[in-house]
Amino acid sequence: MASPLTDLEKRKQISIRGIVGVENVAELKKGFNRHLHFTLVKDRNVATPRDYYFALAHTVRDHLVGRWIRTQQFYYETDPKRVYYLSLEFYMGRTLQNTMINLGLQNACDEAIYQLGLDMEDLEEMEEDAGLGNGGLGRLAGTVPRSMCLSVCQCVEEADDWLRHGNPWEKARPEYMLPVHFYGRVEESKEGARWVDTQVVLAMPYDTPIPGYMNNTVNTMRLWSARAPNDFNLKDFNVGDYIQAVLDRNLAENISRVLYPNDNFFEGKELRLKQEYFVVAATLQDIIRRFKISKKGSTGPVSFDSFPEKVAIQLNDTHPAMAIPELMRVFVDVEKLDWDTAWAITKRTFAYTNHTVLPEALERWPVGLLETLLPRHLQIIYRINQGHLDGIRALFPGDLERIRRMSLIEEDGGKRVNMAHLCIVGSHAVNGVAEIHSNIIKNDVFRDFSELEPDKFQNKTNGITPRRWLLLCNPGLAELIAEAIGEEYVKDLSQLQKLNELVNDDAFIRDVSKVKQDNKVKFSQYLEKEYKVNINLSSMFDVHVKRIHEYKRQLLNCLHIITMYNRIKKNPKALFVPRTVIIGGKAAPGYHMAKKIIKLITAVGHVVNKDPVVGSKLKVIYLENYRVSLAEKVIPATDLSEQISTAGTEASGTGNMKFMLNGALTIGTMDGANVEMAEEAGEENMFIFGMRVEDVAEMDVQGYDAMTYYNNIPELKQAVDQIQGGFFSPKQPELFKDVTNMLFNHDRFKVFADYEGYIKCQEKVSQLYQNPKEWTQMAIKNIAASGKFSSDRTITDYATEVWGVEPTDLKIPPPNEPRKALEETARVLTEK
């Protein structure tokens, strides 16, 4: 089937995706052929689609390089304050199309590839998603640099070897390779502590350019790869123990070979701690090297007094928390600062973003592990804790319970370091990522710390980048909006409010509806190709895509699917609004219940999809390998977005914002950023159900009895009995006993308590879907209200309220701009 937008229509998209010029196209074709021949050493007779992708990627990167170098020159010459975002995850997705859009090259590249007789979409599909994260934490981090196989009932896990074909976007920087130390012991002397007899692993930096949108700025994402030193166990080689020497080398390099995938479960494994320290130790050496370069020319030893005026470090959750004792170690042991001076500088440098309130996700490292792996850092943590507790004793004499609660060292169940407490004590600012989440950490999770330093705690609601999550993934809607209100909304998403004036405009309503239907046609083609299932295009596309976790309550959605199935079977001739339920997400390898949830959904889908009585009324699809590039396909085609976590458990969410921006309506609880979405759009323009945070808290006090709901709600009882009795797994009747046992006895997230409200709310959804005009009007209102949720706003808030830098809309001069213009830009920037 043909794509809803023809190639010609795509190439005629308006200027927000770039202008097609004869010179641009000719230059791009020339660059493409040059790289095919001289970089890849291929011609058209032997080149593969992947070769063509690489040739195009190198061609586009050529247009980045000058801007990248010029950006670094500009920073060197103006010496601004630098912000370093430390994260164990950067879930960036694909780079090619995002770069073409940000450089204004999309249309010219489309035309060049068309003239070369190739298909742009085919080339874009050759790019692997960068495997640098798995969840919302990594997805959030992926926005920062830019704004600054399944069978029936069977999960198949596959490694994400995204680098097997190479990465055309990264540049290795071996000249900046740095040593990172582990193990060893601490020697004390009059001159201070020395960390000696350590094992050394080298950190090799790899830089990826991150272009801003049409502003000539190209920032850098620096990743680190572990390398064994060249002399690593050379002695073993010389005495013939070749195998052990090779094994030791592999052990050293394993540090960066696999990213630990659990970001909502803490596992105190040595490799994970090595990864965390490896990243921060290499990064801090790099930061200090750069700071010292900026001080060249000054006489005497380098002074670090101005370090917080030139360096801001944001800790993305607790994974990089070892940066705090590491910076103290460098200042005190290497740079010979006194403790109090070093601690004051450290606190002014760091800020901490909390991403979860789930106890099992909070990092607590065993003291014994730290003592073995990082002995000097444990000493430093003990001293930080001593000073911290001395201050508390002075303010609250005799309050031993408060001291126990606020200590960095937990004594219950073995001595452990509470990394969140370390981050709070060692930072000048602490923030949550949605208003409700920030209030919970202030008033509940970290209440003692908030009472001690109330001004330290802030909120910074998450955001998404409109360039990827509208221009790139939904060009039809992006173009329609630009035609209606102009192109400036791409840089200022708040301008989407102007769409409220078009809520009753029949032509605009019709156009928005057509864009959505076109996106559904395109995505249904993908589903039919990949899953061999026929999609009812008039059905509601009901989508629930996110990591699989009990608190995100995919089980509640599954119970609704079973309820709809039972209703159809009970009365096949009754009116039923057709639905295609699409669920996607990955489970952490060690998370047994999450894997069982996936098996249950696929088992239910198998029964539903094969039932001739159900036919096209209801389909259930589980998306394999859900990732950023797949999100870019499904989100624009979605009618209903499922955001149904238990109130008070989701820190923020960003998927909810992406769906909203792309004209999906939301069914959700008052949790995470849903609360602010309801404030912006009006609660009447969302489908809100379920307990609020205070209701959950009250139920926790009174006690949650799942059996009461099970016995009093017949449809719920029927659905649970079907799961428990093996209706969806007849060959393995006991397959889902762990799921039902959890729901009855250990459900912290109270699925049954919200079931009835959820079902009634879904009935309202179906009722409105029968009125396409009203549905689309509500969708327009949601798009108009999504301006707050731009990552540009988020980063501006961080910049002004946490990092102490002032954003500017000045363009960095391109490489060929005269020196005079550069000097003028630097002058204005200095004045600002």
Side-chain angles (χ1 to χ4, degrees):
M1 295 173 67
S3 175
L5 286 173
T6 67
D7 288 336
L8 183 60
E9 286 171 329
K10 287 179 182 176
R11 297 198 307 276
K12 289 184 176 178
Q13 304 254 321
I14 57 177
S15 59
I16 53 174
R17 291 164 66 87
I19 300 171
V20 178
V22 174
E23 293 178 359
N24 285 347
V25 172
E27 182 185 351
L28 288 165
K29 289 168 65 178
K30 184 177 178 180
F32 179 93
N33 286 322
R34 183 179 71 251
H35 280 295
L36 186 63
H37 284 258
F38 297 109
T39 305
L40 300 170
V41 196
K42 294 284 186 74
D43 63 18
R44 296 290 290 266
N45 294 318
V46 296
T48 66
R50 178 165 281 107
D51 294 324
Y52 294 138
Y53 156 71
F54 271 89
L56 178 58
H58 284 295
T59 303
V60 172
R61 199 184 81 159
D62 288 348
H63 290 259
L64 270 178
V65 169
R67 293 172 173 87
W68 196 9
I69 293 172
R70 188 72 217 106
T71 299
Q72 297 309 311
Q73 290 172 341
F74 182 76
Y75 292 161
Y76 180 82
E77 292 161 4
T78 59
D79 192 25
K81 186 173 186 176
R82 295 176 183 254
V83 177
Y84 298 90
Y85 199 90
L86 264 61
S87 180
L88 266 285
E89 300 185 28
F90 284 95
Y91 204 10
M92 306 294 289
R94 292 170 173 171
T95 298
L96 175 59
Q97 192 177 5
N98 186 69
T99 301
M100 292 189 295
I101 287 174
N102 283 357
L103 296 183
L105 289 174
Q106 176 76 70
N107 287 340
C109 286
D110 284 347
E111 180 63 32
I113 294 302
Y114 176 77
Q115 291 184 16
L116 288 166
L118 300 171
D119 185 279
M120 177 61 87
E121 287 191 12
D122 290 346
L123 301 192
E124 290 169 351
E125 286 297 317
M126 296 309 301
E127 183 173 6
E128 303 278 356
D129 285 52
L132 297 171
N134 72 92
L137 181 148
R139 190 56 242 153
L140 169 70
T143 69
V144 172
R146 296 187 187 95
S147 294
M148 271 202 341
C149 166
L150 285 169
S151 59
V152 178
C153 298
Q154 181 62 42
C155 299
V156 178
E157 299 178 56
E158 295 181 352
D160 184 9
D161 189 10
W162 65 283
L163 285 171
R164 62 189 178 275
H165 300 294
N167 181 2
W169 304 104
E170 68 184 12
K171 177 68 177 75
R173 303 288 193 186
E175 68 273 23
Y176 295 125
M177 190 142 49
L178 296 166
V180 177
H181 298 260
F182 296 98
Y183 304 106
R185 58 187 177 85
V186 180
E187 281 186 352
E188 303 282 358
S189 68
K190 293 180 180 180
E191 289 74 31
R194 291 177 62 241
W195 187 16
V196 298
D197 298 335
T198 60
Q199 291 184 14
V200 177
V201 176
L202 299 179
M204 162 86 88
Y206 287 81
D207 290 350
T208 298
I210 310 294
Y213 179 69
M214 308 286 278
N215 64 1
N216 297 324
T217 301
V218 181
N219 285 321
T220 302
M221 177 178 68
R222 175 158 285 186
L223 308 175
W224 299 94
S225 180
R227 295 286 187 269
N230 289 334
D231 60 346
F232 198 82
N233 275 354
L234 189 60
K235 182 182 177 183
D236 287 343
F237 270 94
N238 292 337
V239 299
D241 195 354
Y242 306 116
I243 294 176
Q244 187 59 47
V246 171
L247 289 175
D248 288 346
R249 173 177 288 272
N250 287 339
L251 194 62
E253 297 184 355
N254 279 344
I255 291 173
S256 62
R257 191 163 283 150
V258 178
L259 173 69
Y260 256 73
N262 299 8
D263 72 346
N264 260 88
F265 275 95
F266 170 66
E267 290 186 287
K269 301 293 179 66
E270 181 176 320
L271 177 57
R272 178 65 169 182
L273 182 56
K274 278 185 174 181
Q275 291 177 336
E276 294 180 355
Y277 177 69
F278 175 80
V279 169
V280 302
T283 301
L284 286 173
Q285 290 182 71
D286 205 35
I287 291 170
I288 291 171
R289 173 191 63 80
R290 198 172 286 114
F291 175 78
K292 287 182 174 180
I293 289 174
S294 72
K295 295 298 178 183
K296 272 188 176 180
S298 58
T299 58
V302 172
S303 170
F304 286 89
D305 293 344
S306 64
F307 193 78
E309 280 73 53
K310 289 298 181 182
V311 174
I313 302 177
Q314 189 71 34
L315 303 176
N316 192 32
D317 216 0
T318 58
H319 306 138
M322 290 305 298
I324 293 170
E326 172 64 5
L327 188 58
M328 286 297 293
R329 184 190 70 82
V330 172
F331 281 160
V332 174
D333 296 358
V334 179
E335 302 297 341
K336 304 303 180 183
L337 274 65
D338 67 88
W339 179 272
D340 291 341
T341 299
W343 183 236
I345 294 172
T346 296
K347 287 191 68 172
R348 291 168 58 203
T349 299
F350 285 107
Y352 161 53
T353 298
N354 173 272
H355 280 278
T356 183
V357 298
L358 298 179
E360 66 267 28
L362 296 173
E363 289 190 306
R364 294 172 168 89
W365 286 107
V367 163
L369 177 57
L370 280 165
E371 193 169 26
T372 300
L373 190 65
L374 301 168
R376 177 58 178 145
H377 298 76
L378 181 61
Q379 288 183 344
I380 292 169
I381 291 170
Y382 276 143
R383 183 162 178 182
I384 292 171
N385 192 45
Q386 184 64 51
H388 166 59
L389 295 183
D390 286 346
I392 296 170
R393 288 190 187 96
L395 291 169
F396 306 97
D399 195 343
L400 298 181
E401 180 59 24
R402 184 182 294 269
I403 290 172
R404 183 194 66 80
R405 292 196 308 263
M406 297 184 71
S407 175
L408 307 189
I409 311 299
E410 297 180 346
E411 305 282 352
D412 301 336
K415 295 179 74 171
R416 299 172 299 176
V417 179
N418 187 311
M419 304 309 281
H421 290 185
L422 175 60
C423 287
I424 294 169
V425 171
S427 299
H428 70 273
V430 178
N431 70 276
V433 290
E435 194 69 49
I436 186 174
H437 171 234
S438 297
N439 289 334
I440 289 171
I441 66 173
K442 280 193 296 186
N443 302 325
D444 186 4
V445 181
F446 304 129
R447 180 175 178 175
D448 292 326
F449 294 91
S450 177
E451 289 176 348
L452 188 67
E453 297 179 279
D455 293 340
K456 178 183 281 191
F457 286 78
Q458 307 179 19
N459 174 59
K460 296 289 172 281
T461 298
N462 279 347
I464 59 173
T465 167
R467 272 72 64 182
R468 180 179 292 275
W469 296 111
L470 190 57
L471 268 68
L472 186 157
C473 73
N474 201 345
L477 183 59
E479 177 182 5
L480 180 62
I481 294 172
E483 289 173 345
I485 65 172
E487 301 171 14
E488 289 303 309
Y489 80 89
V490 178
K491 296 180 181 178
D492 178 11
L493 209 60
S494 66
Q495 293 193 26
L496 291 178
Q497 293 174 354
K498 297 175 183 178
L499 294 177
N500 282 318
E501 301 171 10
L502 300 170
V503 167
N504 296 312
D505 186 311
D506 288 340
F508 188 71
I509 294 170
R510 185 175 60 250
D511 290 342
V512 171
S513 181
K514 183 180 184 303
V515 168
K516 178 63 71 175
Q517 192 63 23
D518 287 345
N519 289 331
K520 291 175 70 172
V521 169
K522 186 174 182 179
F523 188 59
S524 68
Q525 293 168 3
Y526 172 84
L527 293 177
E528 289 168 7
K529 176 184 176 183
E530 297 293 326
Y531 299 93
K532 308 299 187 260
V533 58
N534 293 320
I535 304 299
N536 181 355
L537 287 171
S538 66
S539 67
M540 180 197 311
F541 281 22
D542 175 349
V543 178
H544 195 176
V545 287
K546 49 185 75 253
R547 280 180 298 109
I548 308 301
H549 197 289
E550 288 161 83
Y551 87 87
K552 293 179 181 288
R553 299 205 295 191
Q554 286 91 354
L555 281 174
L556 183 57
N557 193 347
C558 190
L559 288 172
H560 177 237
I561 294 169
I562 297 171
T563 301
M564 289 190 291
Y565 171 75
N566 288 335
R567 288 181 177 181
I568 295 171
K569 293 288 285 184
K570 183 178 180 180
N571 193 351
K573 295 183 179 180
L575 176 65
F576 184 86
V577 177
R579 288 198 191 213
T580 299
V581 182
I582 301 166
I583 301 176
K586 294 177 180 176
Y591 191 178
H592 170 74
M593 187 53 64
K595 292 181 178 182
K596 284 293 184 181
I597 291 169
I598 295 176
K599 287 186 177 183
L600 176 58
I601 295 167
T602 57
V604 170
H606 180 65
V607 171
V608 171
N609 296 343
K610 298 292 185 180
D611 196 317
V613 174
V614 175
S616 63
K617 293 178 181 178
L618 181 62
K619 293 295 180 188
V620 181
I621 297 173
Y622 195 94
L623 297 175
E624 299 172 8
N625 190 22
Y626 184 68
R627 57 204 184 277
V628 174
S629 59
L630 187 47
E632 292 165 3
K633 294 178 173 68
V634 65
I635 289 174
T638 298
D639 294 307
L640 184 69
S641 164
E642 301 267 356
Q643 309 295 333
I644 59 176
S645 53
T646 310
T649 60
E650 183 72 85
S652 169
T654 55
N656 44 8
M657 305 169 186
K658 297 161 192 168
F659 286 107
M660 184 185 196
L661 179 60
N662 283 272
L665 301 188
T666 300
I667 182 168
T669 52
M670 290 299 263
D671 193 28
N674 293 355
V675 177
E676 289 159 82
M677 288 165 56
E679 290 171 355
E680 295 295 309
E683 201 169 322
E684 69 277 8
N685 292 308
M686 296 173 64
F687 299 100
I688 301 297
F689 75 95
M691 297 180 290
R692 309 293 170 107
V693 171
E694 54 271 22
D695 301 321
V696 175
E698 185 178 347
M699 185 174 286
D700 285 335
V701 173
Q702 295 179 353
Y704 165 65
D705 182 13
M707 289 300 297
T708 299
Y709 299 96
Y710 170 78
N711 288 324
N712 291 330
I713 307 173
E715 288 189 311
L716 173 62
K717 185 178 187 300
Q718 181 185 8
V720 175
D721 287 350
Q722 287 171 307
I723 297 171
Q724 194 167 224
F727 180 85
F728 299 106
S729 55
K731 294 181 180 180
Q732 296 176 273
E734 301 270 301
L735 182 60
F736 302 118
K737 68 176 183 179
D738 289 347
V739 176
T740 53
N741 180 59
M742 181 274 292
L743 287 171
F744 282 124
N745 302 305
H746 314 289
D747 183 10
R748 293 183 293 145
F749 307 107
K750 305 171 178 64
V751 169
F752 291 178
D754 273 344
Y755 169 84
E756 195 166 36
Y758 180 54
I759 298 299
K760 290 178 179 178
C761 195
Q762 288 282 16
E763 290 167 357
K764 293 178 183 178
V765 172
S766 294
Q767 185 178 355
L768 183 65
Y769 193 73
Q770 295 176 78
N771 190 324
K773 181 176 179 180
E774 288 187 19
W775 181 281
T776 304
Q777 286 177 306
M778 193 180 288
I780 294 169
K781 291 176 184 177
N782 274 265
I783 297 169
S786 59
K788 174 181 178 177
F789 306 108
S790 168
S791 57
D792 300 342
R793 188 269 315 152
T794 305
I795 299 307
T796 297
D797 289 351
Y798 274 106
T800 57
E801 298 167 17
V802 177
W803 302 330
V805 296
E806 192 65 33
T808 175
D809 56 2
L810 290 171
K811 279 188 176 183
I812 292 179
N816 57 353
E817 190 161 316
R819 177 76 184 186
K820 184 177 180 181
L822 171 63
E823 292 169 351
E824 177 62 16
T825 304
R827 182 189 65 77
V828 176
L829 181 62
T830 302
E831 290 177 357
K832 285 203 171 210

